[in-house]
Amino acid sequence: MPLTSDPPVEQAAPRRAAPGRAGPPPADDPEALKAVPVRHPWRWARVVPLLRVATAWYILLATVLSVLQHYVERHFSEGATR
């Protein structure tokens, strides 16, 4: 059953992809649904462990650099009045 925006099947010429270029299958192709890749609903879950690792590295480096900054500032402020 064609959608309201689809032209009638008699007048519609089948659309083919240009040679060497991939394109969508024609709308009247019964195999079109098999060509559509199925995306896994939990695909984003593979990113979460990487975000945890990045967060741990950020906290570790920020802590180390903060301690280093504390000692550098204390060293250069020895002669300053407070």
Side-chain angles (χ1 to χ4, degrees):
M1 179 175 190
L3 298 176
T4 56
S5 63
D6 290 342
V9 177
E10 305 85 57
Q11 297 176 2
R15 287 185 271 161
R16 301 288 177 209
R21 297 184 72 196
D28 58 346
D29 184 7
E31 298 292 317
L33 291 177
K34 295 178 183 175
V36 176
V38 177
R39 294 185 185 255
H40 194 275
W42 296 101
R43 183 178 173 190
W44 60 268
R46 291 185 287 181
V47 177
V48 173
L50 294 175
L51 292 175
R52 288 181 182 163
V53 171
T55 302
W57 273 107
Y58 174 78
I59 291 172
L60 177 71
L61 289 175
T63 303
V64 169
L65 291 175
S66 294
V67 170
L68 181 65
Q69 180 182 5
H70 169 75
Y71 285 110
V72 168
E73 288 181 0
R74 192 171 80 177
H75 173 74
F76 286 109
S77 69
E78 284 181 353
T81 58
R82 293 185 189 184

